[in-house]
Amino acid sequence: MLKAGLQYAKCIAGGLAKREAAQKMTLALTGRETTFAEYQDQNPGAKWEDYQQFVRDSAIDPKTQPRLLEETKSWMKEMLRNDEQADRILGTIKGLAVLKFLGFRVSSAAVNMTNMVQAVPATIAAQTGTSISRALGQVGSSARAYKQYRTGKAEQADKEIFTEISERGWDNPQFNHEAAAVLRSKAGNWFAKFTDAAMWMFGQAEKVNRAVTIHAAYMQAKRMSPDLGHVGWMNKAKQVSDDAHGVYGKETAPAWTRGAYNPLKLAYTFQRFMHNYFLNMGQMWERGKYKELTWMLISPALIAGPGATLLTPIAASMLGALGIGGDDPEEEFYTWAEQTFGEGSTGARVARHGFSGALGVNLKGSLEMGFAMPT
């Protein structure tokens, strides 16, 4: 009886929350998210005609922005619909796939942390105005500060920043929550505990990534934009973290994954990070941040070898079109490295697998810029 009552209360609360969300979405869509009274407070002396013009400017115009209107309505429909049986089935399959490829794997957590020298320094530099080299140095300093924070030895200023990050939930492992949500909610308690244990290492890596990124971005924003103040520095740092690591949930899923009976949701399970990586590079291109964009392109090659970056197949295609390099220029480069440095030598391994090759580790399959299953 108590369980049924709790379930009923949960349903009522969910319905009320969705109703409120629908109202806010509709107001935003029609440009009336700000009321006339609020507009007058923000613009003393404003008249009703001024407010009407403000509404027209804020709303999506169906004549000039038909595609944006349709996309917005489709997104609203997806956000407001209740999960169906098909969603739960697809969610279970998705969760089991995540457990298979990422659960109980130290390598998955380690690969997750390589983003701290790929997208993170480039995004910090692009959004704060600092250099990539200084951003890289700050990431290292922030990582040390986070270690001190976790061991209770942090300086007061760092402690306050990391505490605020944690209290606001900004360092929560989003991939874990989103990918295995159905397994936790629908399976028994023992399986929920098993899922949490299996994904603990990956989740801790993501937690560290987000906390260190926000701290590093905060410090550089504070240095480059001293007039923003604490709130401005924190908001900018959170945006850097979201852009560098991604925001997980159906609210950020692409349009082609929407709908209850859509198996493409499964295909997108392991593609969100790379999708976000490409979107981040696209934003840098639009803002003219070409140095940062270049770093995001070449950094995977530095870690995992030439085969991990998009530049290699592009260069190989161009050389092939010019009749240079034979049928497989990339493989011929590796052959040359083995002949020059010696087969199995450190130099040959670095040439093929980047700096990780010096340690005898091959991360190419995990870091290459494409849309494949994790390895």
Side-chain angles (χ1 to χ4, degrees), residues 114-124 244 277 280 284 295-296 299:
T114 61
N115 196 42
M116 298 303 290
V117 294
Q118 295 185 81
V120 171
T123 308
I124 291 175
Y277 200 91
N280 199 3
M284 291 178 183
W295 178 259
M296 290 190 69
S299 55

Side-chain angles (χ1 to χ4, degrees), residues 265-339:
K265 295 177 188 290
L266 299 178
Y268 191 63
T269 299
F270 298 103
Q271 315 309 332
R272 188 186 293 271
F273 173 80
M274 190 52 62
H275 184 197
N276 182 77
Y277 200 91
F278 283 132
L279 289 176
N280 199 3
M281 289 195 296
Q283 290 179 347
M284 291 178 183
W285 174 268
E286 292 177 352
R287 297 170 182 169
K289 302 295 183 178
Y290 304 123
K291 291 180 181 179
E292 293 80 1
L293 170 61
T294 301
W295 178 259
M296 290 190 69
L297 281 170
I298 67 172
S299 55
L302 297 177
I303 299 172
T309 175
L310 283 177
L311 296 178
T312 298
I314 293 174
S317 298
M318 293 176 64
L319 291 173
L322 297 173
I324 303 174
D327 296 331
D328 192 344
E330 180 184 348
E331 194 58 39
E332 291 189 8
F333 167 73
Y334 300 146
T335 301
W336 169 84
E338 290 178 350
Q339 293 173 347

Side-chain angles (χ1 to χ4, degrees), residues 20-39:
E20 183 178 351
Q23 291 173 341
K24 290 182 177 180
M25 290 177 184
T26 303
L27 290 173
L29 182 68
T30 57
R32 297 182 179 277
E33 192 173 15
T34 301
T35 65
F36 181 47
E38 291 171 340
Y39 181 76

